[in-house]
Amino acid sequence: MSGSGLVLVVAGPSGVGKSTLLNRLLKTDPRLKFSVSMTTREPRPDEVDGQAYCFVDGREFERAVSAGELLEHALVHGHRYGTPRRPVAEQQAAGFDICLDIDVQGARQVRDSGADAAFVLIVPPSMAVLEERLRKRHTESPEELARRLETARVELAQRDLFDYEVVNEQRGRAVAELRAILTAERCRIRS
Ligand code: 5GP
């Protein structure tokens, strides 16, 4: 991951609002690009292949893993997700900054790889708020909801991994904080 652009890793529990915040940021920042992940989950009705995700089957995902094409990958809620290495490197080399919307396991792998990246954890104002958001967003069974909340607790306990924490209570403020982090990282002197 060499080059001039920055890598911004944005992680946090499912339902915390990462993609909404990042979409807002991306709209107002032409220097920032989005890393399109590969996933084995089925597309949702409004999702176009190649935009939010590249949708692949298990075999293609495994091929990409074996070929070392993924910067990180993880099993999230029963589906596989991974960050293709090449587009990240290409955007950086072209001078763009690139943001990754990934889970905490993936953020840890990027951190462990020694990559030069800024790590941001998005957190809910409380577990009760996260539970309410998940209930509103999905049609999961009570068991699945309980599993997601348990995963969220495990993820939030790993905040030491991150450089920054943004509480997504009021969306406009959370986007402003993300923008401020990006600005600070752009101004940071690197050795
Ligand atoms: P969803 O299926 O709801 O879009 O995403 C489920 C979770 O997978 C989210 O927390 C999202 O951040 C995470 N995710 C999406 N892409 C990747 C990826 O490439 N790697 C990892 N580790 N997690 C991802």
Side-chain angles (χ1 to χ4, degrees):
M1 294 212 301
S2 59
S4 51
L6 292 169
V7 175
L8 188 70
V9 175
V10 177
S14 172
V16 80
K18 299 185 292 278
S19 39
T20 308
L21 298 180
L22 280 179
N23 283 336
R24 291 264 184 115
L25 188 62
L26 283 155
K27 266 192 193 142
T28 55
D29 193 329
R31 260 179 75 188
L32 183 66
K33 301 287 176 186
F34 179 67
S35 159
V36 179
S37 294
M38 189 181 267
T39 183
T40 60
R41 90 151 157 72
E42 291 296 312
R44 297 186 182 125
D46 56 335
E47 286 177 333
V48 178
D49 190 27
Q51 284 181 10
Y53 288 105
C54 286
F55 297 96
V56 298
D57 59 18
R59 180 185 290 212
E60 170 57 16
F61 195 96
E62 198 43 52
R63 191 207 56 74
V65 172
S66 305
E69 290 175 10
L70 302 181
L71 186 61
E72 59 74 38
H73 61 95
L75 186 69
V76 186
H77 310 307
H79 301 288
R80 303 187 76 181
Y81 294 81
T83 304
R85 214 181 268 283
R86 208 168 69 184
V88 174
E90 284 174 355
Q91 296 290 6
Q92 280 190 286
F96 290 105
D97 301 327
I98 185 155
C99 59
L100 277 55
D101 171 346
I102 63 177
D103 85 323
V104 172
Q105 308 171 69
R108 183 171 291 280
Q109 288 172 46
V110 180
R111 179 69 104 183
D112 289 348
S113 77
D116 183 17
F119 294 80
V120 184
L121 180 66
I122 311 289
V123 305
S126 68
M127 285 306 287
V129 170
L130 183 66
E131 182 169 349
E132 193 190 322
R133 286 185 193 162
L134 278 171
R135 266 188 218 286
K136 277 191 194 153
R137 191 179 81 156
H138 288 306
T139 50
E140 286 132 353
S141 63
E143 295 77 27
E144 181 56 28
L145 191 86
R147 240 196 318 270
R148 284 187 187 231
L149 287 171
E150 186 44 37
T151 304
R153 277 190 197 93
V154 172
E155 292 186 313
L156 294 173
Q158 298 180 62
R159 70 195 284 270
D160 286 359
L161 183 72
F162 294 86
D163 303 309
Y164 301 94
E165 181 178 82
V166 169
V167 182
N168 188 14
E169 180 156 29
Q170 204 269 319
R171 192 180 291 160
R173 181 175 173 166
V175 174
E177 287 180 0
L178 271 178
R179 194 174 287 124
I181 290 166
L182 191 55
T183 303
E185 286 292 318
R186 282 173 176 160
C187 294
R188 199 152 67 83
I189 296 171
R190 290 179 162 74
S191 50

